[in-house]
Amino acid sequence: MSEHEKKDEFFKPVGELVEETAGSKVPNNIQQDPNNPNVLYYSEPKDGETPVTTIDSLCMQCHNPHGKTNLLMTTIPHFKKIIIMSFECDKCGFKNNEIQTGNDLQVKGVLFNMDINKLLNNGDNYTKDLADFMNRQIVKSDYGVVSFQFIPLDQDKNEIVQFEIPKGKAQLSTVEGLMMDTILDLQALQHLRKYQNVEAYEKINELIHCAYSLISKNNNGKLEEIVDGQEQKIHESIEFDSEKVKKYSESINEIKVTIRDPSGNSFLEFKPFEEGSLISYNKKEFFRDDEDNFHIGLITKDQLEEKKVLNQVVDKYLPKIDEKSKDAASDKLVDEFVNDIETFVDSCPSCLDKHCITNMKPLNIPHFKQVLIMSTKCDKCGYKSNEVKTGGGISQYGKKTILTITEETIEEDLKRDLLKSETCKLFIPQIHLDIQEGTLGGRFTTLEGILKQVYDELYERIFQESYDSMEQETRDNWLSFFGNLSNVMSGKLPVGQDKIEVILIDPLANSYLQNIYAPDEDPNIVYKSFKRTKSENEDLGILELLRQEGLSEGEDEEVEVN
């Protein structure tokens, strides 16, 4: 058995560990190396022994050397391997618990965004969607940063309330759980801030009332926190101003949650898209920059400073090229290698080896534009990736493409070429498929190919790993979703449907769905152009460019262009 396989034996699912623990005795599975007392090693528990390990630890409150730390190595869906630690001191009563990831660093960092809006509309889905939003599972690793934004309907009268949970302690909780923890943590020192820093006290007091109003709204005004097995109401330990709670409850219209983790080991639970849902969700992966590599320990502070100095020197001595010369040079360059594959060497994003090879090939798509297909491979660590980037300038308008598929056309439609850019959203409402921008990255494949990638990603990485821990309703929704998706991939329409619609929405108009009737119009495809919103321009990083050019910063809502 390989070393990797042996290590996996230590991280068993929680269900198996519970069964092993029941009625078993407690061993000490962490032993000293007889040749070196400073080295500890882990031994797998014997038959009849619990996998929980207890070791003596120094209490950081009273410095008692005989505090007890319990360790449990296990696996949790989506978070893979974790080490659960619990400390208790019999002398002073101090208690603490935390988790640490047992995973390797991922090749890319992750960025999760989830928001729920129209909270003040009180529609049919309001209660269900708010509960769903608040109960989404969150895994925050040591390097993850979680941000919350509470956005009022009228931002002229009310300010946006926001807070951030910095990197540090790893946590396994829910959206509501993190908000509740924040209230308790901030309230702990409010009695000191009230006299030492009045301004900070007032701002934190507003934040506590805002978060409390939304948690209370989700619990019909009843909020309870479990402390040492006893129910303790938060509003009994904190003096809440009912007028402030009411103000935020009646003004907050949107909640946004963002998780950014350069290690790639954080997670925000995903559930199948439901038509009419107030919740939007997306996940993006990104390559770490030098600052990220420093913060997760891949490079030292000296190496970071060296890279900064080198970048400054390179920027200083690069030749300045005006826009016209730059465009002419780019056109000439494209003409020179349009039929060739360009190869260049750069650092591997996974192991940072400086001999990672990237191949790049330009490709002209008829009736669309030129794209760049890039393939990266590292011979040292085996890292591989493929990406597609569209060329050309920024489109004035966004583009919405709607393909109507019927039973007669589905086989041919599945063979259509599809270019999905990183900024494109893909929907099939009839089977509740919702792919947000950033998901899957840039892809150039067929419609059938993109559906297969979605199936593999969701089934293998989410559904299979969390099947046993799912609620029955959630499990049934997933099974229904996969059944409908499988039918479409095999050339069948979902039961009870006479047609389905594939909708591509790209604010940069960089996505493409093949017109099989070209150069004539495709009778099954409808194209719509729309003006981007200010929020979309900001997310795309072009808001400042529009300001410099004196152009419109965007609309409040997407507006179709005739």
Side-chain angles (χ1 to χ4, degrees), residues 440-505:
L440 299 179
R443 288 287 186 271
F444 185 38
T445 178
T446 61
L447 179 56
E448 181 181 8
I450 199 77
L451 294 180
K452 187 177 186 306
Q453 289 178 4
V454 171
Y455 187 97
D456 292 342
E457 287 282 328
L458 294 180
Y459 189 84
E460 295 176 6
R461 297 195 178 187
I462 295 182
F463 182 72
Q464 276 190 332
E465 293 183 0
S466 56
Y467 179 84
D468 292 335
S469 61
M470 282 183 181
E471 296 178 358
Q472 186 61 44
E473 182 181 358
T474 302
R475 186 184 304 173
D476 292 341
N477 288 338
W478 275 111
L479 292 173
S480 174
F481 168 76
F482 286 125
N484 289 330
L485 185 56
S486 297
N487 284 339
V488 174
M489 288 191 297
S490 60
K492 302 175 184 177
L493 292 179
V495 177
Q497 301 286 345
D498 58 356
K499 66 178 182 179
I500 60 173
E501 290 181 332
V502 178
I503 304 172
L504 302 176
I505 302 177

Side-chain angles (χ1 to χ4, degrees), residues 498-534:
D498 58 356
K499 66 178 182 179
I500 60 173
E501 290 181 332
V502 178
I503 304 172
L504 302 176
I505 302 177
D506 192 337
L508 290 181
N510 282 337
S511 295
Y512 164 80
L513 185 61
Q514 182 185 11
N515 175 1
I516 57 178
Y517 295 89
D520 298 328
E521 291 187 2
D522 193 319
N524 297 323
I525 296 182
V526 176
Y527 300 101
K528 296 181 180 180
S529 297
F530 61 87
K531 295 181 180 179
R532 288 184 291 268
T533 65
K534 182 177 179 180

Side-chain angles (χ1 to χ4, degrees), residues 197-234:
N197 191 334
V198 178
E199 183 180 357
Y201 169 82
E202 292 294 340
K203 289 184 177 180
I204 292 175
N205 189 48
E206 293 294 327
L207 170 58
I208 290 175
H209 278 80
C210 180
Y212 172 80
S213 69
L214 294 166
I215 299 174
S216 181
K217 197 172 187 178
N218 184 45
N219 291 273
N220 297 320
K222 298 177 181 179
L223 183 60
E224 295 179 344
E225 170 73 358
I226 306 300
V227 180
D228 292 338
Q230 297 180 351
E231 293 184 352
Q232 176 184 344
K233 293 184 178 180
I234 286 185

